[in-house]
Amino acid sequence: MLRAGGIVLGGSLVSGSATAADGDGSTTLTVLSYNDIQTAAAQDEDFPRLVTLIEQRRAAADGPVVVVGGGDEVGPHALSPISQWRAPVDVLNEVGPDADVIGNHEFDYGLDPISEVTADSEFPWLATNLVDSETGEAFDGTESERVVDRGGVRVGLIGLADEGATTGKTNIDFEAEGITIEDFTETGPAEAKRLKEDEDVDVVVALAHTGIDDAENLAEADADDDIDVIVVGDDEQFYPPETVDGSIVSEARARAAYLSEIELTVDGGEVTSFDGQLIEVTNDIEKDPTASDIINEYRGEVSLDSPVVETETPLNATFGANYHRETGYGNLITDAMRERVDADAAITNAGGIRSDSVYGPGEITGGDIFNTLPFPNTVISLELTGEELVETLESQVITLESETGQNFGEEISQQTSGVRFEWVPHEDADELVRDVYVGGEPLDPDETYEVAVNSYIANGGSGYPLEDKPVVEDTGELQATTVVNYLEGKDTIAPTVEGRMQRVDRDLPDASVTVDGNGKVVAQFDAPDDVESVAEDTVAVWTTDGDHLDAEHVAFGEGDETLVVRLDDGDLADTIEDADDGDEVPLDLYAKYESSEYDQIYFERSRLNADVTATVRRRGRGASGRGRAAPPGR
C-alpha cells in the first residue's frame, strides 16, 4: 500500500484527494472516523461542528462513504448524571454511523446498561472479541461484525478491545459476568479472513479501542494483511493515516477535535492505494443545529452555565499534569472531598480528572467542574491503617523502567489532600512511597485513618487495593457536586502546588545545620555519580507543613563532586518560626539535575533529595523567638 496524505486545518484540504476511478473498475471508498467523544458530548462546541464536518465530507466524497467510531463516545461527560449515554447517542443518531466499537467508557454505567445503550442507538455497537463465555456469540446488545454494501464495495466492520480497555479500566469482573475477552491479535485477523473468504468482503475495517501501540501489534499479527484499515481509539493520539505492516492505521485525537478521512482505491476486490488525512474541527465550521439543540436541551436541565467561583490561579485538568505531579486543581478537588466527610486524608485517581483542559484564571461555572469530573462517582470515606494507606499510595506509582514509564515517563497517577510523601519511581527503590506525613505528623503504620475517596477507586478501580476496606461514610453525593458545594461558599480561590507529593530519583547524604537567624546557612553534599549538572533555580528546602525556601546560592560545576547550597539564615528561621530554641526540625532539600543514568520521558530533569535536620538556636531573637534581631555591627 502507498502512504499518502497529510493534515487538514480549518476544514480545507492540504493534500490532494484520490480520484473516483484510478483505473477501469476501481472505486474510491472514503472511511470517515472519530473516537473518544467523551467530554465534548456535553458542550455545544466541537461535537455539533463535527456533525457538520462529517456531512460536508460525505457530500464532497468522490464515491461511497463509510462512517465509523473508535469507541468511548458515551462517557465521561458533564451530562452523565442527567442523561447518562443518551445525549451523545442522540447526537450520533443524527450522524448515522455504520458502526462503533464498545470501549471502556461505554461501561461507565455498568455492564447491564450496555443493552440500553445499544437499544437507544440507531447503529450497531461491535464487540468482536468480547463474547458470551457459553455461546461464543456477541454479548447482550452488541454485534460481532457488520457488513455494509457501498457503491458495489462490500465493507466488513469488526470491533476490538484489549484488556487495558476492559479489565484495566473498568470495575467489571468479566469472567464472573460470563464474558470472555479473547486476544484481539488472534480474533481480529481470523474474523477479517473469514469475512473476506466467506462473506466476499472487499475491505475490512477494524474499529480497535486499543490505543496506537496495540493497533500496531494488531497490524503485525495480521500476517495475511486481511485488515485494510484500523480505526483507533483509547489513547487519544493525533495519528494521521499511516501504513503499518500492511494496514492503514489512524486515530483522530479525542473530544471531537479531528475527523479522520481515508480514501481507499478499491480495484478487483482489493485496496490498491489510499490517501488520508486528519481534518481539524475549527470554529469556522458551523454547528449542526439539531446536534446543538439536543445538547442544549439536556444542559438546560441543570445549572451547568451558572458561575460558581472566581479563580486567581489556573485549574489544570490536563492528563499530563495530573498523572505526573501534584496540581493546584487536584489539591482543590481532594480538599473538598476531605472536608465533605471530615477525613484525615483524601485521594482521587488522575484518570478521573477529565477534559484535558485548563480553566481560568477567571470565572468557573458548574459546567466546568462537571466537565472535569464527569463520572457518576460518589464520595466515600474508608478506614485504613497507616500501612494500608502507604500501600494505597504505592499502587499508583509508575516507575520509569516499566513499559508505561518508557512510554509516558514516571508517574504518580493520583492527587491527594491531608497527606504528604515522597515517591521514588524506580524498580530498584527500597520504598516507592516514603516519609509519609498525615495532618503534619509522621504516619503511624498501626494507626487508623479515615480516607476520603471516590466510589470508583473504593471498588478497586485503577488498581487501588481498597475493595474490601471498611466504609466509614457513603455520602451518595457526586464527586463533582461535592466540589461545587465546596466552592459555592467562596468568593475567590487560588489553589497552588504545596509539595504534597515530592518526586525523588536520587538521594544525597543527610545533613545537619544550625539556624539562629543570623548570617548564612551552608550545607554541602557528596553528589551521586550520575549528577552532571544541577539547575540552581530549582534548589529549595521544604518543611513538613509545605512551606519552602529557595536556595540563595548553589555551587556545582562541571567536574565537581560536591554540591554546596547556601540559604539566608534569617529567612530560614522565619520559615520554621514555630520551632522553639533547641528544637530539631526535619527539612527536605530538593534539586533538579541532569542525570547520566536516567533518560527522562516526561520530566525535563531528574530530582535529588536530602534529609536536613535544622537545630534551632533562638539567642538574640527575643523571648517569643520571632523576628530578626541582628547582632551589633551587622
Side-chain angles (χ1 to χ4, degrees), residues 50-232:
L50 176 66
V51 176
T52 297
L53 181 58
I54 290 172
E55 290 310 306
Q56 290 175 346
R57 299 316 302 159
R58 269 178 168 149
D62 291 326
V65 178
V66 171
V67 179
V68 292
D72 275 8
E73 322 297 3
V74 304
H77 57 84
L79 292 171
S80 292
I82 308 303
S83 81
Q84 297 180 302
W85 60 84
R86 294 177 182 86
V89 163
D90 288 351
V91 174
L92 288 175
N93 284 339
E94 293 299 312
V95 173
D98 293 287
D100 212 314
V101 59
I102 296 291
N104 51 288
H105 285 304
E106 272 66 55
F107 293 110
D108 281 355
Y109 313 102
L111 178 61
D112 291 341
I114 290 290
S115 59
E116 298 179 64
V117 173
T118 59
D120 287 342
S121 302
E122 297 171 6
F123 55 91
W125 288 89
L126 306 180
T128 308
N129 68 316
L130 304 183
V131 301
D132 185 296
S133 300
E134 293 185 1
T135 67
E137 302 295 326
F139 75 92
D140 188 29
T142 66
E143 298 182 17
S144 292
E145 46 84 14
R146 176 61 68 100
V147 177
V148 298
D149 288 291
R150 292 287 185 273
V153 178
R154 284 177 62 78
V155 183
L157 306 174
I158 60 176
L160 305 170
D162 63 357
E163 289 194 355
T166 49
T167 57
K169 295 182 180 178
T170 73
N171 282 337
I172 296 171
D173 187 337
F174 287 89
E175 184 178 358
E177 296 288 349
I179 297 175
T180 297
I181 305 170
E182 298 175 342
D183 187 336
F184 69 96
T185 63
E186 296 178 1
T187 299
E191 182 63 12
K193 181 171 291 296
R194 188 194 69 78
L195 288 170
K196 286 197 169 181
E197 292 181 352
D198 298 344
E199 302 288 341
D200 294 325
V201 162
D202 302 303
V203 177
V204 172
V205 179
L207 317 182
H209 198 74
T210 61
I212 289 295
D213 287 347
D214 280 340
E216 291 175 345
N217 293 337
L218 173 63
E220 183 180 0
D222 181 29
D224 294 331
D225 295 339
D226 291 310
I227 300 176
D228 298 290
V229 175
I230 303 176
V231 169
V232 186

Side-chain angles (χ1 to χ4, degrees), residues 203-470:
V203 177
V204 172
V205 179
L207 317 182
H209 198 74
T210 61
I212 289 295
D213 287 347
D214 280 340
E216 291 175 345
N217 293 337
L218 173 63
E220 183 180 0
D222 181 29
D224 294 331
D225 295 339
D226 291 310
I227 300 176
D228 298 290
V229 175
I230 303 176
V231 169
V232 186
D234 190 47
D235 59 354
E236 306 177 14
Q237 291 195 39
F238 178 91
Y239 197 94
E242 178 178 323
T243 302
V244 178
D245 282 309
S247 298
I248 304 161
V249 179
S250 180
E251 185 172 17
R253 194 66 181 269
R255 288 169 290 282
Y258 291 89
L259 175 69
S260 174
E261 182 178 75
I262 303 172
E263 294 173 314
L264 306 173
T265 300
V266 184
D267 194 353
E270 294 184 356
V271 175
T272 58
S273 64
F274 86 97
D275 188 20
Q277 56 273 315
L278 295 184
I279 306 175
E280 186 178 12
V281 177
T282 59
N283 290 341
D284 61 355
I285 299 174
E286 292 186 6
K287 300 175 186 175
D288 179 86
T290 303
S292 290
D293 288 347
I294 291 170
I295 293 171
N296 287 323
E297 185 175 346
Y298 280 112
R299 288 182 68 88
E301 297 181 25
V302 289
S303 301
L304 293 184
D305 298 316
S306 300
V308 175
V309 77
E310 185 95 7
T311 180
E312 298 174 357
T313 55
L315 304 185
N316 190 335
T318 62
F319 292 128
N322 284 282
Y323 268 95
H324 289 91
R325 62 186 190 272
E326 172 193 350
T327 66
Y329 190 41
N331 289 348
L332 185 152
I333 292 168
T334 50
D335 285 351
M337 295 167 62
R338 182 164 64 94
E339 181 181 279
R340 175 64 178 82
V341 293
D342 193 24
D344 299 302
I347 302 170
T348 198
N349 56 313
I353 303 173
R354 311 300 291 193
S355 90
D356 203 26
S357 301
V358 178
Y359 300 82
E363 188 176 85
I364 303 299
T365 67
D368 294 333
I369 304 302
F370 274 86
N371 205 38
T372 59
L373 298 171
F375 297 104
N377 297 328
T378 59
V379 176
I380 293 176
S381 65
L382 306 176
E383 184 180 281
L384 303 179
T385 66
E387 183 178 1
E388 289 170 337
L389 177 55
V390 172
E391 180 187 1
T392 299
L393 297 171
E394 285 184 333
S395 70
Q396 301 306 297
V397 176
I398 303 297
T399 63
L400 181 62
E401 296 80 11
S402 67
E403 181 178 353
T404 300
Q406 285 299 293
N407 284 323
F408 300 106
E410 45 198 42
E411 297 180 347
I412 187 57
S413 305
Q414 60 195 330
Q415 299 294 317
T416 63
S417 174
V419 59
R420 297 179 183 275
F421 59 92
E422 293 175 348
W423 56 287
V424 188
H426 296 289
E427 299 291 346
D428 60 354
D430 293 333
E431 299 172 291
L432 294 177
V433 167
R434 66 187 194 185
D435 291 356
V436 183
Y437 287 79
V438 180
E441 297 295 328
L443 175 135
D444 183 342
D446 300 319
E447 182 64 61
T448 297
Y449 299 96
E450 184 177 349
V451 181
V453 297
N454 66 54
S455 54
Y456 173 70
I457 66 177
N459 291 321
S462 292
Y464 279 93
L466 298 174
E467 222 172 347
D468 57 349
K469 300 301 185 285

